[in-house]
Amino acid sequence: MQHRRRGIAVVINQVQFRGMKQREGSDRDRDKICAALEKLHFQVQVFQDLSREKLFSGLQLVADVDHTQHDCLVVVVMTHGSEDVLYASDSTYKVDRLWEMFLGNACPTLLGKPKLFFIQACRGEKFDEGVLLKVDSIVTDTVDARGAKEGPQSLLYVIPTMADLLVMYSTYKGHYSWRNPSNGSWFIQSLSTELAENGDQKELMQLLTTVSRRVAYDYRSYVPDNARMDAMKQMPCIVSMLTKALYFTPKQPAP
């Protein structure tokens, strides 16, 4: 993370849809996550209410950028979804299409660099009722995962196509993802808060574990007129193929 620039962060905010209910509260999520990413010196681009064609045309333009002097790539998606499917304003697309154009030889200037995707969307219609847990005390262990520095080397490696990709879903497969019409979604609000407060201090997986804990412990649905949806919980899910510990080390804004 010592390149000239932090990199591009794409924030995809889908509020309006053809034939589907609008996602109230998502603009609040957009504003908060943009502020957190800008604080970490990302160059933020917002894709607002795009059709599928315009969405992937925009992502292809990002993939075509020369990322040589960038540390990494971040893509945040906030939309409706179901199992393995996300919604643009006019139609659906498979979730893995989001990162296909940034992997392997499809985007050579991002090879060996972290590609981080955060997805706020339902992944089904199941609800998590939660279970009671008695907690006598809370102990937080902090682990420093940084290794010793090595001298300059000129070595070539063959790495897997999927290397250095991380996807964090707001909920686990088959389940509903909660969003407050006034305050935004549980996941994006928690992610934004943690990035803003500790983004340049903690290692990424430690940050995201804290995000998971915030969502799991601090939120519970309140829909008293609907017993099926009331008092439900949510558990984010992380799929990591990162090959190194990741720190957003402090950086001066690029000129």
Side-chain angles (χ1 to χ4, degrees), residues 3-141:
H3 295 87
R4 186 178 177 187
R5 296 181 176 88
R6 181 73 75 207
I8 296 173
V10 178
V11 176
I12 302 168
N13 186 38
Q14 298 285 168
V15 178
Q16 305 290 340
F17 300 85
R18 184 183 302 171
M20 297 183 70
K21 188 176 180 180
Q22 72 177 33
R23 299 181 59 256
E24 297 179 8
S26 192
D27 286 347
R28 188 179 181 95
D29 283 345
R30 175 201 60 200
D31 294 344
K32 191 167 183 180
I33 192 64
C34 285
L37 291 168
E38 287 169 356
K39 185 177 180 181
L40 293 174
H41 306 301
F42 280 97
Q43 176 190 338
V44 179
Q45 299 183 17
V46 176
F47 291 7
Q48 182 78 32
D49 294 333
L50 297 186
S51 66
R52 183 173 64 179
E53 181 180 356
K54 290 183 178 179
L55 170 61
F56 285 100
S57 294
L59 287 175
Q60 187 61 60
L61 289 175
V62 175
D64 291 340
V65 167
D66 184 353
H67 298 270
T68 302
Q69 291 302 321
H70 296 176
D71 289 335
C72 62
L73 171 79
V74 167
V75 176
V76 181
V77 185
M78 301 172 289
T79 188
H80 285 311
S82 56
E83 192 167 321
D84 298 325
V85 169
L86 298 175
Y87 286 78
S89 63
D90 60 342
S91 58
T92 63
Y93 57 92
K94 291 287 189 179
V95 63
D96 55 6
R97 282 202 63 196
L98 287 170
W99 49 81
E100 286 178 349
M101 63 191 73
F102 298 105
L103 300 177
N105 289 331
C107 186
T109 56
L110 279 175
L111 278 174
K113 298 179 180 181
K115 294 160 280 285
L116 313 176
F117 290 76
F118 301 96
I119 301 175
Q120 164 59 42
C122 291
R123 303 181 71 193
E125 299 181 355
K126 295 180 182 178
F127 296 108
D128 188 337
E129 298 181 4
V131 292
L132 290 175
L133 170 66
K134 181 181 179 182
V135 180
D136 296 320
S137 62
I138 298 176
V139 178
T140 302
D141 293 325

Side-chain angles (χ1 to χ4, degrees), residues 162-177:
M162 298 293 290
D164 303 303
L165 173 70
L166 178 140
V167 183
M168 187 172 188
Y169 298 93
S170 59
T171 189
Y172 59 97
K173 196 168 185 176
H175 283 73
Y176 193 83
S177 185

